[in-house]
Amino acid sequence: MEPVEVQRRPWVVGVSGASGTPYAAAVLRGLLAAGESVDLVVSRASRLTLLDETGIAFRDAHWREDLTEWLSRGADGKPGAFPVDVSDVRHWVAGDLAAGPSSGSYPVKGMLIVPASTACVAGVALGLSKDLLQRVASVTLKERRTLVVAVRETPLNGQTLKHLVALDEAGAVVLPASPAFYAGATHIQDLVDFVAGRVLDAAGVPHQLYRRWKGELGGARED
C-alpha cells in the first residue's frame, strides 16, 4: 500500500483593522513556535493599521518578506527582537473569495481573529462574508470548528455587545484583548504576550508566553 500522506491542517489567522497588530504578531509567533501551520488573511483595513503602528507596508507580492519583518519586531517596534521562520505560513489575499479556506472542505483546525474590530465582529455575527476574513469565520462557525474572536475596542456600544452575544451563541470564543497584571508584567511585550497566550489557550495550543496563576498571592513578584 502507498503511504498515507499527512494532510496539512493549519490554523487560519485573520487580522482585521483594529489597533493591536502586536497581538497578532505574538499569536503568529506562538503558533509557529508550537509547530503549527498557519494560513494568514490580512484585511485591507488592517494593512493601514499595520503601517500606522509599525511602519511596515504589507504587500501581497512581497508578503513573506513583510511578514518576516513584522514578526521579528517586539511590541515596542524594535526590529530583530525575535527570530522567525515563516516557511509554514500560507498567505491568502483578503479579496480572494475563491481561496482554499473559503470552503468547508478545506482542512483547517479553526480560526483566530486577532485583533477583531467591531466592524469585523458585526460582519461575522451577521454572516455578511464581505471579504475572505469574514467568509472564513462564517465557514468556521458552520463547520463547528474553533473560532476565537479577540475583540479590541473600548468602550463597547449596545449593538456591538449584541453582536458579541450572537457570536458566543453561535459557538465562538469571545476573548477581549484585555491583559492581566498578576503574571508580573514588567514590559509592554509581557502584556501583549498575556493576551496572545490566552488566545492560544482558547485554541488548545501549548505555549510559554506568560506566567500562569498558581494560587499564591504575590508569586509573580517573588520570581
Side-chain angles (χ1 to χ4, degrees):
M1 293 179 60
E2 292 290 332
V4 177
E5 183 179 355
V6 177
Q7 190 174 51
R8 181 179 181 272
R9 291 186 66 235
W11 284 96
V12 180
V13 175
V15 186
S16 79
S19 176
T21 54
Y23 292 130
V27 166
L28 286 164
R29 287 193 300 265
L31 288 170
L32 295 174
E36 299 285 349
S37 301
V38 173
D39 277 21
L40 178 64
V41 181
V42 181
S43 76
R44 292 178 62 186
S46 70
R47 298 171 194 229
L48 297 176
T49 307
L50 183 63
L51 181 63
D52 181 56
E53 294 183 346
T54 69
I56 297 172
F58 192 91
R59 303 160 296 174
D60 291 330
H62 304 279
W63 70 268
R64 195 174 296 276
E65 297 94 322
D66 297 337
L67 178 63
T68 299
E69 182 182 358
W70 175 26
L71 298 191
S72 70
R73 296 192 181 196
D76 57 6
K78 292 182 180 178
F82 297 97
V84 291
D85 178 3
V86 299
S87 59
D88 203 9
V89 178
R90 183 169 187 178
H91 168 254
W92 298 96
V93 178
D96 183 8
L97 292 179
S102 67
S103 171
S105 65
Y106 184 86
V108 302
K109 293 183 177 180
M111 183 180 191
L112 315 175
I113 305 178
V114 188
S117 66
T118 54
C120 172
V121 166
V124 176
L126 297 173
L128 298 182
S129 296
K130 74 170 187 177
D131 62 7
L132 181 60
L133 193 157
Q134 292 184 13
R135 170 60 185 169
V136 177
S138 295
V139 169
T140 302
L141 289 175
K142 81 179 182 68
E143 296 293 331
R144 302 297 190 267
R145 296 167 179 158
T146 298
L147 174 63
V148 182
V149 180
V151 60
R152 215 305 310 162
E153 186 60 89
T154 188
L156 298 173
N157 63 30
Q159 199 60 48
T160 298
L161 291 170
K162 292 176 182 177
H163 291 151
L164 292 173
V165 170
L167 289 178
D168 177 78
E169 292 175 343
V173 176
V174 175
L175 195 152
S178 178
F181 296 86
Y182 63 76
T186 58
H187 190 276
I188 185 174
Q189 188 67 53
D190 298 327
L191 298 175
V192 169
D193 285 347
F194 180 88
V195 172
R198 295 299 288 154
V199 171
L200 296 178
D201 286 345
V205 176
H207 66 88
Q208 295 181 334
L209 287 177
Y210 69 88
R211 183 187 289 104
R212 297 184 181 277
W213 176 251
K214 297 181 180 179
E216 300 175 2
L217 292 176
R221 296 195 301 274
E222 297 172 358
D223 289 348

